[in-house]
Amino acid sequence: QSVLTQPPSVSGAPGQRVTISCTGSSSNIGAGCDVYWYQQLPGTAPKLLIFGNSHRPSGVPDRFSGSKSGTSASLAISGLQAEDEADYYCQSYDRSMSGPGVFGGGTKLTVL
Amino acid sequence: QVQLVQSGAEVKKPGSSVKVSCKASGGTFGSYAISWVRQAPGQGLEWMGRIIPSVGITNYAQKFQGRVTITADKSTSAAYMELNSLTSEDTAVYYCARTYRERSSSGVYSYYYMDVWGKGTTVTVSS
């Protein structure tokens, strides 16, 4: 049972927009802790996709965007491409930014 | 650009220990922390703990308290994760990840994103 809750799977056709939710609680996301998103392609290590709730590292396409509200966060992917098919994880910290790291259970994105 | 190079795959017997290394290549750890995250087969990511190599401060997930030890040698920019009393449930890929952190004027550390990851070390526990 993950501390952060994500849907197990989402899907969309090429060119469409999908969103992945990440629900936490008052002890993590709701406590003001930042949310991060990682993309994991099959057989590879996770890659940082979004930091500080909504910021993209250099090299991440602007098709990826993040937001946070209350005890939840979302990752939106627009203009879906076949290469976006991967597992996506949200991550935050528990109780404070000094607390233990917590992950969502991951969401498998299938591009139809 | 710093890369994190992890040690090779391990096969261990139940009840034994494993020590995985993570070395910075092309740079040093600097002021970053190093986090350890594991992923069991077909499962999600699980945070295990972290260390600030420059000062040796560690934090562990409650689940692993007493069974995991994270150390670092700042002179060689290497970090280590040792897990004891292994069972089959510890079979997983273990990742190290560079973690941005800040220290407030009151001495409190805050941790942020994991921006550089090692390729992972597969640990198989089997009799």
Side-chain angles (χ1 to χ4, degrees):
Chain A
Q1 192 81 359
S2 300
V3 174
L4 306 179
T5 301
Q6 297 180 235
S9 64
V10 296
S11 63
Q16 284 189 331
R17 180 179 185 270
V18 296
T19 62
I20 298 172
S21 62
C22 173
T23 302
S25 70
S26 58
S27 68
N28 40 66
I29 299 176
C33 298
D34 286 351
V35 178
Y36 310 92
W37 291 91
Y38 302 87
Q39 177 193 60
Q40 187 177 35
L41 297 171
T44 69
K47 168 192 169 185
L48 179 65
L49 206 59
I50 297 287
F51 68 95
N53 306 313
S54 59
H55 302 280
R56 288 183 307 277
S58 172
V60 173
D62 59 7
R63 302 186 296 105
F64 295 89
S65 62
S67 64
K68 172 189 161 183
S69 178
T71 58
S72 296
S74 291
L75 172 71
I77 310 171
S78 59
L80 266 183
Q81 299 181 4
E83 68 221 45
D84 297 333
E85 188 160 294
D87 293 322
Y88 293 84
Y89 293 89
C90 61
Q91 181 250 317
S92 186
Y93 291 95
D94 210 43
R95 298 189 301 278
S96 73
M97 297 299 285
S98 299
V102 291
F103 281 98
T107 298
K108 169 67 177 176
L109 169 62
T110 301
V111 181
L112 302 171
Chain B
Q1 173 74 339
V2 171
Q3 294 182 324
L4 299 180
V5 180
Q6 297 188 224
S7 49
E10 303 261 13
V11 178
K12 294 293 183 178
K13 299 285 189 188
S16 67
S17 299
V18 68
K19 190 170 186 177
V20 180
S21 68
C22 169
K23 185 171 173 56
S25 172
T28 67
F29 288 149
S31 61
Y32 286 82
I34 296 294
S35 300
W36 287 89
V37 176
R38 78 175 186 180
Q39 185 171 37
Q43 302 300 307
L45 302 174
E46 183 174 30
W47 187 85
M48 299 181 69
R50 64 189 167 221
I51 187 168
I52 303 176
S54 59
V55 294
I57 291 174
T58 55
N59 305 102
Y60 300 117
Q62 191 169 9
K63 173 178 178 177
F64 299 102
Q65 281 276 4
R67 205 162 68 91
V68 69
T69 303
I70 297 173
T71 57
D73 182 344
K74 61 183 179 182
S75 68
T76 58
S77 285
Y80 304 90
M81 186 284 300
E82 183 171 23
L83 189 61
N84 303 317
S85 303
L86 293 170
T87 72
S88 59
E89 295 189 351
D90 294 315
T91 293
V93 177
Y94 290 77
Y95 294 102
C96 62
R98 189 178 78 166
T99 305
Y100 180 71
R101 60 91 180 169
E102 290 181 347
R103 180 176 181 270
S104 71
S105 56
S106 59
V108 175
Y109 289 99
S110 294
Y111 300 87
Y112 298 86
Y113 48 83
M114 302 179 209
D115 65 341
V116 178
W117 292 67
K119 291 188 185 300
T121 296
T122 299
V123 175
T124 303
V125 183
S126 174
S127 55

